[in-house]
């Protein structure tokens, strides 16, 4: 037995949202580069040293910008780690059944990642605490996509209908 996947017309919004996440990734480049220039951290150094970051706000903010960019890209474990690889996976799966919901959650996730990066590099915040608002925003979008992807995937396996049948 096989499933036929019919892509909803609204799936184009999902694809545009996936594209938006790529633009957010590109946005990180000048954001991080600006902080690298200000701190005068030469390539190929990925970060300023701990001593430099303690002594200089510019070095500290560069490390925050670099860390924000890295957390955008990382592939990590756990549902709380909502980085671009996990985001794209859940967006594309969830979008097969819930394209408008998935796109909305995806736009929320993308906005949250920008707010996160900008907050992380806010010079008025200490110890990276400015990233909290952005993380709350992108967690909402990411958790919505996580749930949507699960329901969507269960729908393709037929398990969803079996579970619902047991509950009735």
């Amino acid at each position: 037995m096989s499933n036929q996947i019919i892509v909803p017309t609204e799936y184009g919004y999902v694809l545009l949202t996936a594209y938006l996440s790529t633009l957010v990734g590109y946005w990180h480049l000048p954001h991080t580069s600006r902080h690298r220039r200000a701190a005068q951290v030469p390539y190929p150094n990925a970060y300023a040293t701990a001593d430099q970051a303690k002594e200089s706000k510019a070095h500290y903010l560069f490390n925050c910008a670099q860390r924000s960019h890295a957390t955008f890209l990382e592939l990590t474990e756990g549902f709380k780690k909502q980085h671009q690889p996990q985001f794209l996976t859940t967006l594309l799966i969830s979008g097969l059944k819930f394209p408008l919901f998935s796109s909305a959650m995806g736009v929320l996730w993308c906005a949250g990642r920008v707010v996160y990066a900008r907050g992380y590099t806010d010079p008025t915040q200490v110890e990276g605490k400015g990233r909290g608002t952005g993380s709350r925003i992108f967690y909402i979008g990411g958790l919505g996509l996580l749930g949507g992807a699960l329901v969507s995937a269960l729908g393709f396996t037929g398990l969803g209908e079996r579970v619902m049948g047991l509950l009735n």
Side-chain angles (χ1 to χ4, degrees):
M1 186 171 163
S2 65
N3 279 329
Q4 182 179 15
I5 297 177
I6 299 171
V7 178
T9 304
E10 295 88 0
Y11 198 74
Y13 293 109
V14 173
L15 297 176
L16 285 171
T17 305
Y19 178 76
L20 175 62
S21 79
T22 301
L23 295 179
V24 171
Y26 283 129
W27 172 84
H28 274 278
L29 296 171
H31 181 71
T32 304
S33 294
R34 179 171 46 90
H35 289 285
R36 178 183 288 278
R37 278 191 307 278
Q40 298 178 348
V41 176
Y43 285 102
N45 298 329
Y47 291 93
T49 67
D51 288 339
Q52 289 173 317
K54 280 182 191 173
E55 295 172 14
S56 162
K57 189 73 151 178
H59 284 92
Y60 170 76
L61 291 175
F62 166 66
N63 282 357
C64 290
Q66 188 75 322
R67 189 69 201 121
S68 174
H69 190 195
T71 63
F72 176 79
L73 299 169
E74 289 173 341
L75 181 59
T76 57
E77 306 171 353
F79 79 92
K80 286 185 75 178
K81 307 293 186 184
Q82 299 174 359
H83 309 298
Q84 195 189 30
Q86 295 90 336
F87 163 75
L88 288 173
T89 300
T90 56
L91 172 71
L92 297 174
I93 294 170
S94 178
L96 290 170
K97 294 280 185 185
F98 312 106
L100 296 178
F101 169 79
S102 300
S103 183
M105 292 294 101
V107 168
L108 188 63
W109 184 90
C110 289
R113 293 308 301 202
V114 171
V115 172
Y116 175 90
R118 291 181 57 88
Y120 209 162
T121 56
D122 181 343
T124 66
Q125 300 293 321
V126 295
E127 299 176 0
K129 297 206 189 296
R131 70 188 192 273
T133 300
S135 64
R136 286 187 286 282
I137 294 169
F138 77 74
Y139 279 146
I140 293 168
L143 289 173
L145 290 172
L146 196 62
L150 177 62
V151 172
S152 182
L154 285 173
F156 283 106
T157 65
L159 289 174
E161 288 136 18
R162 287 187 213 144
V163 168
M164 293 308 290
L166 292 173
L167 296 175
N168 290 330

